[in-house]
């Protein structure tokens, strides 16, 4: 049996932020607690929202102690502030880290315990109360955090998550106008993050007809618009397409799950503080290169969705062309495609692999199983930029 889940209500399109007051009124909220990225305050993004709510006699408290790839302590601070606020509704407006904190805090505000108590790998408690209603508003096109019941937190050398139905948003607003001010590098990293969600969910062993349909549409929208969105940030058509692609990818991966790319990306963020989007981006072609033999047919479908022409290629060649196209896309949007770009060396592989192999929740969805030696092999390939799809392995010393 397969089940498809999503936020209760999704409002989309340019100008859709104007529906926020109506959504708040549906919950009869008198005080709203807003989690937001500090930069959005500086850019004045929240000013019209605050003005509208104040004019309608709705109390507001803003919380901006948000950091990218948040540590558990950041989450605990957010929970404490919300518990002390007396608010009856939560709004998260910002990037993925902000939305994750907002989701977790909205639930833990009504449950006893800390963030660490409820982590997937090491926590000992279970959530018992639904928490406060929450509205999620992304300002990037990539993380898909607004669509999921997952909140990610950084540990000393890896990451862990809180995941539960209670974290799922009651309402989501996706307004591409909120992404216009994103700089090129953030646009690229978040966009490739969304592409990774779409591809991994499409290849997941838990994929369904519904998630496949969403994932492939997401791939087409993202690939056709990401270059324009990165280098022509005010292009409305590209920004709208990226917003739709990110949303569809989020719905797909929330239900089918992500796998090896995310598993191996977690230690990159935990140890080297590489952003989540760039961690996924730099690993994506190399993980696909490894799992390709176990999902050959789907990789040919992916190649077609990427806009690659078959031109007489057999299935394997056509599938391999998808891997190369994705690696080339990283270059086109200005992102590194080797681990060396982040100061990582061969001496770091053991520690990275030890962290990656622990992500059993994610690795279990991979169409090809990962052993520790396989994880090391992928990291080595990513370190030196070597792909079997190119037909040459230039420098991959780990052979055991």
């Amino acid at each position: 049996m397969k089940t498809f889940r999503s936020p209760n209500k999704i409002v989309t399109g340019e100008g859709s932020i104007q529906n926020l007051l109506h959504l708040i009124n549906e919950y009869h909220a008198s005080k709203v607690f807003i989690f937001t990225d500090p930069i959005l305050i500086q850019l004045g993004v929240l000013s019209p929202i605050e003005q509208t709510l104040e004019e309608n006699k709705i109390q507001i408290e803003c919380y901006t102690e948000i950091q990218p790839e948040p540590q558990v302590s950041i989450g605990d601070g957010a929970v404490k502030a919300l518990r002390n606020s007396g608010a009856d509704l939560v709004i998260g407006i910002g990037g993925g880290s902000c939305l994750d904190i907002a989701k977790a805090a909205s639930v833990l505000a009504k449950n006893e315990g800390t963030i660490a108590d409820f982590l997937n790998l090491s926590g000992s408690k279970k959530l018992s109360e639904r928490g406060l209603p929450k509205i999620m508003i992304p300002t990037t096109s990539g993380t898909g955090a607004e669509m999921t019941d997952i909140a990610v937190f950084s540990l000393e050398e890896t990451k862990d998550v809180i995941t539960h139905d209670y974290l799922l948003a009651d309402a989501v607003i996706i307004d591409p106008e909120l992404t216009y001010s994103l700089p090129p590098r953030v646009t690229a990293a978040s966009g490739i993050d969304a592409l990774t969600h779409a591809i991994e969910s499409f290849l997941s062993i838990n994929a369904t007809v519904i998630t496949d349909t969403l994932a492939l549409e997401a791939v087409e929208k993202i690939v056709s618009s990401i270059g324009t969105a990165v280098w022509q940030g005010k292009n409305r058509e590209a920004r709208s397409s990226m917003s739709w692609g990110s949303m569809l990818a989020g719905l797909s991966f929330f239900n089918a799950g992500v796998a090896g790319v995310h598993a191996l990306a977690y230690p990159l963020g935990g140890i080297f503080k590489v952003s989540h989007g760039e961690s996924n981006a730099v690993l994506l072609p190399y993980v696909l290169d490894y799992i390709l033999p176990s999902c050959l047919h789907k990789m040919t479908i992916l190649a077609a969705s990427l806009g690659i022409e078959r031109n007489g290629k057999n299935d394997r060649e056509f599938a391999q062309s998808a891997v190369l196209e994705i690696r080339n896309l990283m270059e086109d949007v200005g992102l590194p495609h080797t681990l060396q770009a982040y100061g990582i060396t061969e001496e770091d592989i053991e520690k990275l692999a030890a962290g990656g192999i622990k992500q059993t929740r994610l690795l279990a969805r991979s169409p090809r199983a990962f052993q520790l030696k396989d994880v090391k092999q992928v990291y080595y390939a990513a370190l030196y930029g070597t792909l079997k799809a190119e037909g040459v392995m230039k420098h991959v010393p780990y052979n055991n």
Side-chain angles (χ1 to χ4, degrees), residues 141 182-195 222 226 229-231 239 242 277-278 281 329-330 332-335:
S141 296
L182 285 178
R185 182 99 176 206
V186 177
T187 300
S190 58
I192 297 299
D193 191 16
L195 181 63
I222 293 165
I226 188 171
V230 168
W231 305 118
R239 288 295 192 184
M242 288 299 296
E278 293 199 24
L329 183 62
M330 307 305 163
D332 292 343
V333 297
L335 293 179

Side-chain angles (χ1 to χ4, degrees), residues 29 51-52 57 69 84 95 102 142 154 163 231 270 284 293 321 325 328:
Q51 181 178 346
T52 298
K57 311 301 181 185
E69 320 297 325
N84 293 335
S154 294
T163 177
W231 305 118
L284 178 58
S321 68
E325 180 69 15
N328 293 339

